[in-house]
Amino acid sequence: MIQYPSGKKSNNRNSKTLSSAKRGMALEDDINISNAYYNSNLIAVIHKKPTPIQVVRVDYSALKHARISEAYYTQASTTDYNGVYEGYAVDFEAKETKNKTSFPLASIHKHQLDHMQSVLKHKAITFLIIRFSYHNETYLVYAEDLFNFIENTDRKSIPFDWIKQEGHLIPYRYQIPCDYISILNEKRDKEKL
């Protein structure tokens, strides 16, 4: 509750409520802004995939604006984003965590891992973008490295130190707040994609 000098109290929600309502959206917003930049500058065409839903009930109480009042997911979604970069299919999942020391593997669903494995078999570029909000750092972890970690450990989380060593720190730039394409460029130059 905000108190103004006049003694009036505002009816706004407190900042805790607002920040928890937007939890997980900061990374998505940064990726969407970056994707818009890539698209407008002919660097890559990457889009967020819509989650398939079945509409059950629509509220038509406002004459000009219908509002979906009840819906359910029709199927499990795959990954968050896909598109094309320099002739290669790109497919990735984005996750954000407040955890300081590790990323919980339970945050990635089995059907998402299965999808990433299928995409890899078709020689597409697939990866996970993980933002550690506590450290204010965002990393790209290629699916090959992720699967290698999962296969060679019984851990239920990926240590932050492992991600720092095996992952790739994604730079923040003013117009490209999550410049993951710069990491793909490094891979292209190193491996001659």
Side-chain angles (χ1 to χ4, degrees):
M1 184 84 53
I2 298 173
Q3 284 192 319
Y4 292 99
S6 65
K8 285 187 175 181
K9 294 181 181 180
S10 91
N11 290 332
N12 293 339
R13 295 181 191 154
N14 65 35
S15 61
K16 274 188 181 177
T17 305
L18 290 175
S19 65
S20 66
K22 290 276 291 173
R23 189 179 308 150
M25 297 302 288
L27 176 58
E28 185 176 303
D29 289 345
D30 286 352
I31 291 171
N32 292 341
I33 292 166
S34 300
N35 287 344
Y37 179 88
Y38 297 148
N39 190 31
S40 66
N41 288 280
L42 305 176
I43 296 167
V45 178
I46 312 286
H47 293 285
K48 177 146 177 55
K49 290 191 258 184
T51 303
I53 62 167
Q54 174 67 46
V55 175
V56 177
R57 187 172 300 137
V58 179
D59 178 9
Y60 293 102
S61 60
L63 294 177
K64 291 184 179 180
H65 303 288
R67 184 177 69 87
I68 297 172
S69 57
E70 186 178 343
Y72 62 89
Y73 297 113
T74 56
Q75 62 190 34
S77 64
T78 53
T79 51
D80 289 333
Y81 293 87
N82 68 0
V84 180
Y85 154 78
E86 294 194 359
Y88 287 90
V90 174
D91 198 285
F92 65 93
E93 178 68 18
K95 300 288 186 185
E96 193 162 358
T97 183
K98 289 184 175 184
N99 198 318
K100 299 177 199 177
T101 59
S102 65
F103 173 76
L105 285 169
S107 295
I108 313 169
H109 304 288
K110 182 182 180 326
H111 65 272
Q112 292 171 323
L113 292 170
D114 292 344
H115 175 76
M116 291 173 84
Q117 284 182 329
S118 294
V119 167
L120 267 180
K121 288 178 185 171
H122 289 280
K123 310 242 186 288
I125 302 169
T126 185
F127 50 89
L128 181 64
I129 291 180
I130 305 171
R131 173 165 292 166
F132 284 86
S133 55
Y134 177 82
H135 300 288
N136 196 27
E137 293 179 352
T138 307
Y139 290 87
L140 184 150
V141 176
Y142 286 107
E144 302 93 322
D145 298 325
L146 174 65
F147 292 129
N148 188 37
F149 176 84
I150 292 170
E151 290 168 9
N152 291 303
T153 187
D154 292 332
R155 291 184 58 105
K156 299 208 184 292
S157 63
I158 306 171
F160 179 63
D161 289 338
W162 183 92
I163 291 171
K164 284 193 331 187
Q165 182 177 341
E166 300 298 324
H168 306 268
L169 181 63
I170 298 174
Y172 174 89
R173 293 182 169 77
Y174 177 70
Q175 290 184 309
I176 318 169
C178 187
D179 188 13
Y180 63 90
I181 291 291
S182 67
I183 306 301
L184 300 185
N185 288 339
E186 289 174 12
K187 182 180 178 95
R188 175 203 61 205
D189 294 344
K190 183 179 178 183
E191 298 178 10
K192 303 291 184 217
L193 287 178

